[in-house]
Structure formats: structure tokens, C-alpha cells
Amino acid sequence: MRTLFLAAALLSGTAASAQLRPDQAAFRGLYKELIETNTTVSAGSCTLAAERMATRLKAAGFGDADIKLFNGPMDRPQDGGLVATLAGKDAKSKAILLLAHIDVVEAKRADWERDPFTLIEEGGWFYGRGTSDDKAQAAIFTDTLIRLKAAGKPLKRTLKLALTCGEESPAVFNGAEWLVKEHKDWIDAEFALNEGGIGVSDDKGNPLKLAFQAGEKVYQDFRLEARNPGGHSSQPRPDNAIYQLTAGLNRLAATEFPVQFTDASRAYFTAMASQMGGEVGAAMLAMLANPADAAANAIVSRDPNWHSMLRTTCVATRLDAGHANNALAQRASANINCRMFPGDSLEKVRGQIIAAVADPGLMLITDAEVSPTPPPPPLTPAIYDPAVALAKKHFPGVPLLPTMVTGATDGRFLSAGGIPTYGVPGMVADKTLNNVHGLNERISVTNLYTTRDYLFDLINAYAAN
């Protein structure tokens, strides 16, 4: 029965593929090649994926001088990527950068219903690791440069494409960060387009809302630690490292960081207030007028997503204490994971945590990997208006809202390096987030092709002005 089911699914996918436009069929082949190139940190190679995309670019007419292939560090040459350039007509206009990561989260074949590294089209969905995050956008951006090269009509602005590794495992190596630090000239641009503009779909992948991301929170870990001489557990002492730590954590848990707005989140909550109406809509308007309105904050922050969008959040995620069951702990520590509001400095958040735990005997140690803390990019009409206009064409009747994501992407490295980075719309996710990072990751076939057309037009609009 399983064999018959899979055969029927494959035949269904073949039938759907036969109905594609020629340009869509070419895109599907590129997308399939990316999905079926394993780029996990354990067993894959981003370098191989980059080389395969370079081969496609060269076949479209890009010269060797237009493509820069690079490897990862000496101990991980497989963590490479590429930068490709499509020259524009106006040398005085700064370039636009298209950024996408080609590495993916681990995927064990034994856990998946389908081979995670085989592109399978079934029931209106593409299944496979990276189908959503982020090889869909990597394929669209690569395909866009190929289509523009084939058209033979240079746009006003130069377009640059960066396919990088390490977004999913930045502690190992991060290609976007490396490019900013070591080869800024390769990718320098007036602004960059990236992942992060993820809208909302129903359970069939039909878009309900689109999102334009202008700002993302910053990931940062701290360690809160109590130390003590310890001793024999038969003779407890009043100063106990575990109790001291937990008391500080309880005070941190009871602390709310202040409400803040970016251009994007202010526009988002303004639009949502109109959509929601009632008590919630009124509370949103009250907070926009006065971010310190505690009663309005209590109403809006019932939603965990809105709560996180409005402020820096810091939460204990791991505990480590003691060295023996029959001994008083000499050390007790907790990992504090913060998602810092765009523009909040490390020093500011450190100070807020120290004030919250209110115990000078507790040490707050900054994680060795310090994230950059760039301000959010400006949501200007030149950036936002074309996205809105084209959304009406490609996604009629679907609202587009600006947003600030509560996670983090490689855009933080570009923004910190002076390249404002935006998460472009088009992609949508259902309530499971399309199983991104989980089992049986998928993306709506129809939405992928529509987003491809939308982004092609949007990139053209930006590059023409």
C-alpha cells in the first residue's frame, strides 16, 4: 500500500510539473538541485551547492569575473558559498544585495516520512529539508539573476547575490559574517533583501497575510552564576548557592522589560488595531500613544508573539548546579537567553538584568559569542511602497503588514556592517511554520511559484529606480 501511495504521489507531482511554464520548469530544476544537495553541518557541503549554482550562472552567461566562489575555514572547507554580480547601467547608483543561506538544519532519514534530501511534490506541497528555510529564497534569487541575464537588458542598479553557509550553525562558521568582515567590497550595497518576511497561511498554504520584515531581535546568551564555599550537606548554611541563584531568577522572571516600537512594529500595531477592534484594538492604540500604559500592555501582551514584539525578553533556559548529592553546591548557574530589541545595546541589557536580579553577589557573565546590535533599518516609502503595490498584483486581497521578527537571521551581520537588510514578502507559513527545522519540512507549491514571480517583479522595481 505504501508503495502504491508513493507511486501515486510521484505521478501527481509529474502531472503538476507538466503544467508548468518553461521558465517555471527551469526554476524547478534549479530548486530541486539545491534541495538534493545535502548542506547539513554534519555531513553536507555548502561549497558543493555553491559550485552547482555557479555552474548554472555560467551557463546563463555569467563570466568568471562575475562569480566569486569561496571555501569555509581551513578545518571546514565545505562551509563555502558564492557572490555573483550582475552589473547595472549606472555605476554611480549603489548595488542591491540578495542574501540567502544555503545551509540547513539536520534531518535524519529514519525520522522522516520521505527522504529529506529528495524533492517530493505531493498534495500541493514540496517536501524536503530546506524547501522553506532557506533554499526556496536561495533558488528564487539565483533564478532571478539567470532570468535577468537572459533578458539582456541591464537594469539601472547592479545586483549582487550572496549564497552563504552557517546561518543555522553560526558557532561553527558564518559566511555572511565572514563576508562583512573580510570582503565587504564584494557585497557592499545600499540595502539587502533577505529571508524573514514570513506571512500567515491556512493549512493548505493559501496566503492570509503577507509580511515585510524591517528589523529583527538580537540573540544573546548570558550566564548568571552564584558561588559558595559549599560544605557537607548534613550541615546546611544560610548562604546557599542554589537558593541564591533561584531567588535572583525569580526576580528576573517577575521583571517586564519596557515597551518599545520600531518604524515597522509601529506600523504593524497601527494596522492590527484597526483589524482587531474592540478591547484589543483600543489597547494597541493606547500603547502607541503611550508605551508606558500598563493596562493596555497587559491586554496586548496576552498574545505571546505580540508580547515578544514589544520588548527585549530574557528567560532562563538551562540550569547547572552542585557537584555531589551529599554536598552543598559550590556553584550554581543558569543560562539566560535574551532576544534583544533592535538597537538595544549589550551594555543596556546587561544593566537591566543586573537591576532585575538585584543581588550584587550574583555574577552575570556575557557569552563568548557577542551578537551585533544594529538599529532596525528605516521603513522608507522607496522600500515599502513598491512591495505593497506589487503585492496587490500578485496576491490580490491579501493584506501586507510591516513586521519585526522576534528571531534572528544573518541580516543582523549585514545591518551591523552598514547594509540595511529587509525580509521580503511572499513566503507564508501555516500554524506549524511549515515544519521548518522539524520533520517533513514543506512549502506550498503554488505559493512558491507566486512568490517567485512577485520577487522577480519587486527586484526589477528596486533595480530600475
Side-chain angles (χ1 to χ4, degrees):
M1 288 297 292
R2 179 174 175 81
T3 301
L4 290 172
F5 172 78
L6 288 174
L10 290 172
L11 286 172
S12 174
T14 302
S17 300
Q19 300 170 10
L20 298 178
R21 306 189 312 249
D23 64 291
Q24 289 176 325
F27 166 75
R28 190 185 191 280
L30 185 157
Y31 180 55
K32 175 180 171 67
E33 185 171 40
L34 261 184
I35 298 299
E36 297 185 356
T37 305
N38 186 330
T39 53
T40 59
V41 71
S42 65
S45 174
C46 289
T47 302
L48 176 59
E51 290 170 349
R52 287 175 171 174
M53 293 302 100
T55 297
R56 288 180 174 270
L57 289 165
K58 288 179 180 179
F62 284 80
D64 291 341
D66 301 323
I67 300 172
K68 292 180 171 63
L69 285 165
F70 57 91
N71 292 334
M74 291 184 63
D75 59 333
R76 290 194 59 84
Q78 67 270 36
D79 291 346
L82 74 77
V83 174
T85 302
L86 180 64
K89 294 184 293 185
D90 186 355
K92 294 181 179 179
S93 295
K94 290 197 71 174
I96 299 169
L97 175 65
L98 311 178
L99 172 69
H101 70 87
I102 51 177
D103 63 312
V104 295
V105 170
E106 299 294 332
K108 294 182 179 179
R109 176 65 186 93
D111 297 335
W112 282 56
E113 294 177 23
R114 309 160 188 84
D115 182 352
F117 298 108
T118 298
L119 182 67
I120 295 175
E121 183 176 348
E122 180 184 312
W125 299 89
F126 281 130
Y127 288 89
R129 176 57 89 219
T131 48
S132 281
D133 186 17
D134 181 35
K135 289 182 175 179
Q137 197 152 288
I140 288 173
F141 285 165
T142 305
D143 170 76
T144 295
L145 259 65
I146 289 172
R147 293 169 72 187
L148 289 171
K149 187 72 171 179
K153 297 178 181 179
L155 297 168
K156 178 179 179 180
R157 288 175 180 263
T158 292
L159 291 175
K160 297 180 179 181
L161 169 69
L163 302 180
T164 60
C165 201
E167 197 271 351
E168 304 292 6
S169 53
V172 178
F173 173 71
N174 186 284
E177 182 182 21
W178 179 83
L179 284 170
V180 170
K181 290 180 177 179
E182 302 297 331
H183 292 285
K184 174 77 177 297
D185 57 312
W186 292 3
I187 59 169
D188 200 19
E190 184 170 337
F191 62 92
L193 306 180
N194 184 33
E195 64 173 331
I198 302 297
V200 179
S201 76
D202 61 19
D203 58 6
K204 295 182 180 179
N206 300 310
L208 302 175
K209 293 179 184 177
L210 303 177
F212 188 101
Q213 186 254 86
E216 56 186 66
K217 297 180 83 173
V218 175
Y219 180 110
Q220 184 62 53
D221 284 317
F222 299 90
R223 189 170 80 253
L224 188 65
E225 187 168 285
R227 296 182 183 178
N228 191 280
H232 202 285
S233 62
S234 66
Q235 298 182 10
R237 48 189 294 161
D239 56 335
N240 181 293
I242 294 176
Y243 297 159
Q244 183 183 13
L245 174 67
T246 54
L249 291 176
N250 285 334
R251 289 189 289 271
L252 177 61
T255 300
E256 278 278 66
F257 287 76
V259 171
Q260 301 184 70
F261 290 102
T262 64
D263 288 349
S265 65
R266 181 173 291 279
Y268 171 84
F269 281 106
T270 300
M272 287 303 299
S274 176
Q275 289 188 24
M276 298 297 296
E279 179 189 46
V280 174
M284 288 178 175
L285 292 176
M287 288 185 64
L288 288 163
N290 177 19
D293 188 324
N297 175 24
I299 294 170
V300 177
S301 291
R302 292 171 188 161
D303 184 296
N305 182 50
W306 291 341
H307 174 270
S308 187
M309 284 180 67
L310 288 166
R311 55 179 54 79
T312 289
T313 59
C314 292
V315 61
T317 55
R318 300 185 70 180
L319 291 170
D320 183 22
H323 59 286
N325 288 346
N326 58 355
L328 303 175
Q330 298 167 0
R331 188 188 304 256
S333 66
N335 185 79
I336 307 298
N337 177 246
C338 293
R339 303 303 176 111
M340 303 191 302
F341 200 85
D344 272 3
S345 68
L346 183 69
E347 293 73 20
K348 176 183 176 181
V349 175
R350 270 186 59 87
Q352 289 172 317
I353 297 172
I354 290 169
V357 300
D359 183 348
L362 289 171
M363 293 181 290
L364 185 66
I365 302 160
T366 304
D367 185 80
E369 184 179 342
V370 177
S371 295
T373 57
L379 192 65
T380 63
I383 293 292
Y384 189 56
D385 289 355
V388 174
L390 288 168
K392 291 177 180 178
K393 171 187 173 183
H394 290 281
F395 300 94
V398 181
L400 170 61
L401 298 179
T403 190
M404 180 199 78
V405 297
T406 57
T409 73
D410 273 346
R412 67 192 188 275
F413 299 112
L414 269 62
S415 291
I419 305 173
T421 303
Y422 301 89
V424 286
M427 301 295 184
V428 292
D430 62 13
K431 61 185 178 183
T432 71
L433 291 179
N434 290 353
N435 295 331
V436 166
H437 290 200
L439 296 177
N440 308 309
E441 182 180 347
R442 65 183 190 171
I443 193 170
S444 161
V445 175
T446 300
N447 177 247
L448 178 62
Y449 289 133
T450 304
T451 299
R452 171 180 176 261
D453 289 340
Y454 170 75
L455 289 178
F456 181 79
D457 283 354
L458 183 62
I459 292 166
N460 267 273
Y462 287 147
N465 296 320

